[in-house]
Amino acid sequence: MRLRALLDTEALGLRLLGGEAELDRTVRGVMTTDLRDPSRYLTGGELVLTGLAWRRSAVDSDAFVRLLAGAGVAGLAAGDAELGSIPDDLVEACARHRLPLFAVDERVAFATITEYVVRQVSGERAGDLAAVVERHRRLMSSGPAGGGPGAVLDLLGSDLDLRAWVLSSTGREIGAAGHPLPAPVRAELAGAQQAATRTGRRGPHRIAVQGRTYSLFPVRAGAGTADVRSRVLSDWFLAVEADAGEWPAERLDLLRGVTQLIAVERDRRDAARAVRRRLAGEVFDLVRGGAAPAEVGARLRAAAPVLVPGAGGDPYWQIVVAKVDWAGGEVPEGPVAQALLEEVLADPAAQGPDAADRIAVAHAEGKAMALVPLIGGAPAQGQTGAAPEPLHAEALLGLLRGPLARGLGDDGRLTVGVSAAVHSPEGLRGALEEARHARRVAAARNGRVCVAGHEELASHVLLLPFVPDDVRRAFTARLLDPLRAYDRRHRSELIPTLEAFLDCDGSWTRCASRLHLHVNTLRYRISRIEQLTGRDLARLEDKLDFFLALRMS
């Protein structure tokens, strides 16, 4: 297919800005990118689509175009949503390097252009997948009729009799055509894909699992970087139950075209995550900066429609902190851990590319911090009901250790800390400190993947002489900060009430007498303490935790 054919296709909304003499160039593929240097991922002959997010100033245009021209791309198509118009410096740079430049109409999605190019190129190479790509225009559209990765995989099954799955780095199923794969098989495939990626070999990679042969094709979204370590722990991949070593080159190229279509869905998902990342950054900036609980609460309430749309009641919150360490330090660790947590913390029972949309992850100082809403919230006072199930360190370790250990190889390490659930904004500062310190506990262990939870910072552990003071402070803050904040805000006396209740060994009548309160007032205060902290003062373990927290504060 030649560039001129794209310009003649009215539905693509392309307008030529320069390079008319070069319109007979052959288009062999398509790539969407906003990287400043995408040359590593170019093989020549591509139509490059960009939203211009790489451009910070006029001087950036020449460097970007020079790299594209050096890689032998067919042409460049730019959208103007980022800057409002195509800048003159980009037009001039393309003219200097004789690179055809198109403007993309803002009403036309990059996905539409991508699938059109893939359809045309595939049709020229061979006919066996042409019907799949042609029908995929409707299924991969950005409107409500779009079918996502699962839809194109269904067409692979019906048109080519291929069973295929799109899987995440942990083996979570994102889309499928065929029977569901058992969790151990998915984990084994994910580990094999990561190990193969670390070798730098081009896919597909073949592997035999439980007597069946699978071919693994990487799905490369437009936001990749040069070092494979920056993406190996969070990439998607396409697993096909077949031996691709027996396929002709044409069919391999066609399957790679399908992965390009799936990458469009991945790009869409990543773009949608930008809002949640920003919200997480704002919340964590407030928490880390010591903002008033009322300010943190207001920000959480504003974020709730994005993080937990349609949820009834106030959610619990948990915080997960993760750090990925690479030998040599060449790879920025924060973004790697951020992308990893977004994949890892997806609901394992939920399939599809949007299963992690409720997770908000920020990164700072080389670590990722995830704000995880436990949808459903606490039962109202006086009501019964099951609380949402929190994340547990042991279960998280079981999910991560198998696949990710192979992606980490000999030069990487992942450590994760998980806080307890908190029921109010007042508890977020303590929860963040708790997750941070739990991660430090995990970092003190041996192994490529280590996870520690708040249970390991329990009161009996705090009595040990080697536990650092900051861990003790985190425990105390998480337990008592919600009560102190409530007392300041309402001029109440929950902390003195708690101290008196423990001093009276939990006796309602003696405590009420000491505080000169009616016993019903005392019961109300104790219930408020339990509601704010998630503890039960009828339990000996919780009484001990409060006792130690008060003594250490």
Side-chain angles (χ1 to χ4, degrees), residues 4 8 18 41 100 115 139 142 164 194 204 220 363 384 410 432 446 451 469 513 520 538:
R4 193 179 306 278
D8 293 339
Y41 302 99
E115 66 84 24
L139 296 169
S142 59
Q194 291 178 53
R220 294 282 182 260
H363 70 82
T384 59
D410 295 328
L432 177 58
N446 295 321
V451 183
D469 288 342
S513 176
N520 287 343

Side-chain angles (χ1 to χ4, degrees), residues 167-172 174 190-198 218-220 224-225 227-237 266 269 273 277 322-327 331-346 366 368 399-416 448-450:
L167 303 177
S168 75
S169 57
T170 59
R172 181 175 64 86
I174 295 166
Q193 171 62 24
Q194 291 178 53
T197 299
R198 290 301 306 272
V219 172
R220 294 282 182 260
T225 59
D227 196 317
V228 297
R229 294 178 298 178
S230 66
R231 52 180 169 76
V232 65
L233 301 181
S234 57
D235 266 356
W236 290 0
F237 65 99
R266 175 69 187 262
R269 192 286 317 264
R273 280 184 174 173
R277 288 176 172 178
K323 189 173 191 294
V324 177
D325 293 290
W326 296 109
V331 181
E333 297 160 339
V336 174
Q338 180 182 46
L340 173 61
L341 279 188
E342 287 172 334
E343 290 296 335
V344 165
L345 298 178
L399 175 68
L400 298 175
R401 184 163 43 195
L404 296 186
R406 300 181 69 180
L408 290 163
D410 295 328
D411 59 345
R413 191 159 190 259
L414 169 66
T415 53
V416 183
R448 288 292 170 194
V449 181
C450 297

Side-chain angles (χ1 to χ4, degrees), residues 433 437 457-479 548-549 552-553:
E433 289 303 311
H437 294 308
L457 305 179
S459 55
H460 64 281
V461 175
L462 299 176
L463 296 174
L464 299 175
F466 61 79
V467 175
D469 288 342
D470 55 358
V471 176
R472 293 188 174 94
R473 285 194 295 270
F475 172 82
T476 301
R478 184 178 63 79
L479 205 55
L548 288 173
M552 289 188 295
S553 64

